[in-house]
Amino acid sequence: MTIPDSAADAIRHNPAQNDPMVTFERVTKRFGNDEKSFVALDNVDLVVGRGEITGIIGRSGAGKSTLIRLVNGLEKVTSGRVVVDGTDVGGLGETGLRSLRREIGMIFQHFNLLSSRTAFDNVALPLEIAGLDRAAIKAKVGPLLELVGLADRASHYPSELSGGQKQRVGIARALATSPKLLLSDEATSALDPETTQSILALLKRINAELGLTILLITHEMEVVKTIASHVAVMDVGRIVEQGRTFDIFTAPKHETTRIMLAATSGTTLPEWLKTDLRQTPSAGDRILVRLTFLGATAFQPLTARLVTEIGGDVNILAGAIEEIAGEPFGTLVVAYPATPDTIARANRFYAETGLSTEVLGYVA
Amino acid sequence: MSPEMLFDLLWKALLQTLHMVAVSGLIGSLIGLPIGIFLATSGKGELFPAPTLNKVVGLIVNAARSTPFIILVVAIIPFTRLLAGTSIGTKAAIVPLTIATVPFFARLVEAAIREIDKGLIEAARAMGATPMQIVTKVLLAEAKPAIVAAFTMTIVSLIGYSAMVGAVGGGGLGDLGIRYGYQRFMPEVMLAVVVVLIVLVQLVQSAGDALARRFDKRNRQG
């Protein structure tokens, strides 16, 4: 099997992903007939590394749901290839697809549990479908409910469970056939923030303990930031940016990524400041600078030193320290007099400490 | 008419009604169930796509449902004779009752299955289920309360239809009411027949509701 240049590029951009679990090669998906066709995916190249958590983020209608459904053949490509662990999904017949699907678990936004079955029997369903006998099913379901922390809810029906508990049943069900890949379709979008965090922690644990590859789609930045080691940003059927989550989120290149990030991170300026901001300085103005602290610098007492270097006349206008894919990341927006002397001293300090900076503008 | 005689007539008529309704209800539903499943799963892009056959079956079902029952009874007399060996009596009445049951129940089953969240079908497909497994393990299991309710409704309708088969000497409660209550001017017989029918329908409905509730796990409180 030869890898086309486009996919090879994607691999080069993500050196950690040289052992792919899923590869999208120039994938296009069109819905409808020729006159009224709608392009859901447009020439998508993507690599999902084995054992990693890869997040695909985008607004609704960006094509995420279609993309994830190509992996287990719920949708079929119009052109291009989707390769899962060496198998071209498009080349499989119904029987081949069914056995592939038994190696891929899937969880859903609305859980999709059978209301007529207890938690236990819901987890048992994929095993019944695979043809296991009652004893073998019993031996598998118990530990799975244990793993997701619902051993005491085995005989409850979905209507007796909370949203978070239902998703835990969904996860146990998805793991029942010991898959090598887990697809997560907006799995936390119907949950409150606290429950979202506990479900994400569970997915992270499963990834670490079972070495399970996870491909998730979401419109929530928080989800990707919290658990995805790699991310692809989608916009109207295209992947506009992909790479390590930390790299993409600390230095977003595409406008879509910036807009989505601005909504969640602490680096947005207060509204009153935005209206007063000018791009050229006049006498007596103060300069606004955004400082970015990456990795090790996030922990150093740089702010205090900056104040000393500049001479005390510094104010902090916005700032946050966050964790992205397990790494600390801080931003700080500061203002100080826009005199050549002060600016020179500040720039010397930035160069010395390796802080990355961006001049946002000037205010009176 | 002496009370003993009235009771005797009512009892015999009740047994005839029960016999007709039970046999036609069971056979009709057994035939209607797969037709209903087919109607609900054979549209374009569904589990067993056969859009043309789906339309044809749908047309036949509609035609059968729009034929007034009393006309159906008379119209199919040759077919009834072929099947039951006779065109009169309780045994003969079962044939048109069964034929009326099939499309009625099929449409109700179709509606029950279409109510099921499409996400469940997708989840089952994602697990590697065959279309047949999806029908048995997902669709029928999830639609069970609605199908039980549909069966109850079918039986209640059949009790009403069975009153009309007096036209072919089918007997039963309706026939008793017409022959004694109406044609022989015996209002007490008519009243007794109506009371028995009301009680019968109530019993069937309550039993059906109780059974449907038992199968319905959607609104349980923790």
Side-chain angles (χ1 to χ4, degrees):
Chain A
M1 184 182 62
T2 57
I3 300 170
D5 287 350
S6 52
D9 273 349
I11 294 171
R12 266 195 294 280
H13 290 147
N14 308 295
Q17 302 194 340
N18 47 21
D19 182 15
M21 173 61 85
V22 185
T23 325
F24 290 79
E25 297 165 6
R26 297 190 190 284
V27 169
T28 295
K29 171 69 182 178
R30 212 173 282 122
F31 285 105
N33 47 25
D34 287 338
E35 299 97 62
K36 288 184 289 180
S37 78
F38 161 74
V39 179
L41 293 174
D42 186 5
N43 221 356
V44 166
D45 286 308
L46 178 70
V47 175
V48 176
R50 190 183 301 274
E52 276 162 7
I53 302 181
T54 302
I56 295 170
I57 187 159
R59 287 171 281 219
S60 53
K64 313 180 294 276
S65 314
T66 309
L67 186 80
I68 204 167
R69 279 167 177 71
L70 291 174
V71 178
N72 57 3
L74 290 176
E75 297 284 356
K76 299 213 177 328
V77 295
T78 307
S79 67
R81 302 204 315 156
V82 178
V83 179
V84 177
D85 204 15
T87 309
D88 180 0
V89 180
L92 293 172
E94 276 303 313
T95 318
L97 265 182
R98 277 197 290 274
S99 51
L100 175 76
R101 284 172 184 157
R102 284 171 197 171
E103 296 172 15
I104 303 175
M106 190 168 188
I107 54 176
F108 305 87
Q109 177 172 8
H110 298 297
F111 326 122
N112 294 349
L113 300 179
L114 266 62
S115 69
S116 57
R117 285 176 173 242
T118 60
F120 183 98
D121 288 330
N122 263 291
V123 179
L125 181 60
L127 299 169
E128 285 175 25
I129 285 170
L132 267 70
D133 61 55
R134 205 64 208 167
I137 289 174
K138 219 169 165 189
K140 284 214 89 169
V141 176
L144 281 166
L145 286 172
E146 195 91 36
L147 175 76
V148 299
L150 286 179
D152 57 337
R153 295 281 187 278
S155 58
H156 286 55
Y157 287 93
S159 60
E160 300 167 316
L161 300 173
S162 69
Q165 289 172 333
K166 282 183 209 170
Q167 195 57 289
R168 283 169 188 273
V169 176
I171 292 170
R173 180 178 72 176
L175 298 179
T177 50
S178 311
K180 52 191 176 190
L181 172 65
L182 177 67
L183 305 175
S184 165
D185 177 10
E186 297 273 8
T188 57
S189 299
L191 303 174
D192 61 62
E194 205 179 313
T195 313
T196 294
Q197 286 306 321
S198 78
I199 292 295
L200 293 180
L202 174 63
L203 289 177
K204 211 168 177 173
R205 212 181 88 212
I206 289 165
N207 167 256
E209 285 176 14
L210 310 177
L212 185 68
T213 307
I214 300 179
L215 175 61
L216 61 91
I217 62 170
T218 182
H219 64 270
E220 299 170 303
M221 269 297 170
E222 244 357 269
V223 170
V224 174
K225 266 189 196 170
T226 313
I227 62 168
S229 60
H230 290 76
V231 65
V233 182
M234 282 199 82
D235 193 30
V236 286
R238 289 166 178 274
I239 290 186
V240 295
E241 234 178 308
Q242 59 176 302
R244 287 180 63 236
T245 307
F246 190 75
D247 298 342
I248 299 283
F249 280 17
T250 52
K253 287 183 188 68
H254 196 274
E255 194 53 32
T256 307
T257 321
R258 291 215 184 103
I259 292 167
M260 285 197 292
L261 273 172
T264 56
S265 75
T267 61
T268 42
L269 291 177
E271 215 40 57
W272 60 270
L273 204 61
K274 274 192 212 159
T275 48
D276 288 351
L277 208 60
R278 286 192 296 268
Q279 285 312 305
T280 48
S282 46
D285 269 6
R286 295 170 75 75
I287 181 170
L288 246 69
V289 179
R290 187 209 311 267
L291 311 176
T292 307
F293 305 82
L294 300 181
T297 61
F299 292 119
Q300 288 171 23
L302 292 172
T303 322
R305 280 187 56 203
L306 177 68
V307 175
T308 324
E309 294 288 333
I310 292 175
D313 193 7
V314 179
N315 42 353
I316 296 171
L317 298 169
I321 292 187
E322 303 166 75
E323 198 182 74
I324 296 174
E327 291 178 63
F329 167 63
T331 47
L332 200 59
V333 178
V334 296
Y336 44 84
T339 57
D341 170 48
T342 316
I343 291 174
R345 262 183 288 152
N347 287 348
R348 222 175 14 249
F349 171 70
Y350 302 146
E352 197 183 296
T353 51
L355 273 179
S356 66
T357 62
E358 182 191 353
V359 175
L360 298 173
Y362 303 87
V363 284
Chain B
M1 188 191 291
S2 70
E4 290 79 26
M5 215 178 136
L6 177 62
F7 182 82
D8 193 47
L9 279 172
L10 275 173
W11 179 247
K12 264 173 136 170
L14 176 65
L15 288 182
Q16 284 172 334
T17 294
L18 289 178
H19 178 211
M20 287 187 291
V21 169
V23 175
S24 58
L26 276 175
I27 299 176
S29 299
L30 279 177
I31 302 171
L33 183 71
I35 295 178
I37 296 170
F38 175 78
L39 284 172
T41 56
S42 58
K44 208 178 145 206
E46 290 176 333
L47 287 176
F48 305 99
T52 316
L53 191 57
N54 180 292
K55 284 218 176 68
V56 172
V57 174
L59 268 171
I60 295 171
V61 163
N62 285 346
R65 287 204 57 199
S66 45
T67 310
F69 182 65
I70 190 71
I71 293 177
L72 182 79
V73 171
V74 185
I76 63 161
I77 283 177
F79 180 68
T80 305
R81 194 175 287 131
L82 191 75
L83 220 62
T86 169
S87 61
I88 50 166
T90 307
K91 204 173 146 195
I94 287 173
V95 177
L97 282 172
T98 305
I99 288 176
T101 303
V102 171
F104 185 82
F105 189 65
R107 278 289 183 218
L108 292 175
V109 167
E110 181 194 5
I113 290 175
R114 290 210 179 275
E115 278 294 298
I116 296 168
D117 184 358
K118 295 283 171 291
L120 295 182
I121 299 175
E122 185 176 53
R125 285 182 64 207
M127 286 171 207
T130 62
M132 213 51 212
Q133 284 174 321
I134 294 177
V135 169
T136 55
K137 291 190 181 294
V138 178
L139 299 183
L140 289 180
E142 287 289 295
K144 201 150 82 179
I147 290 175
V148 168
F151 185 69
T152 309
M153 200 191 263
T154 303
I155 294 296
V156 169
S157 295
L158 270 178
I159 292 172
Y161 282 171
S162 72
M164 284 184 247
V165 292
V168 288
L173 286 164
D175 187 41
L176 178 69
I178 293 288
R179 281 192 292 119
Y180 284 77
Y182 178 66
Q183 288 163 349
R184 296 186 192 178
F185 303 104
M186 297 171 89
E188 73 277 11
V189 178
M190 186 66 96
L191 184 71
V193 163
V194 170
V195 169
V196 171
L197 281 173
I198 290 174
V199 171
L200 185 60
V201 168
Q202 285 294 342
L203 285 175
V204 169
Q205 191 67 51
S206 307
D209 287 350
L211 198 60
R213 254 199 315 278
R214 247 190 67 178
F215 289 141
D216 194 350
K217 313 292 187 190
R218 280 171 300 185
N219 293 307
R220 291 188 143 214
Q221 295 307 316

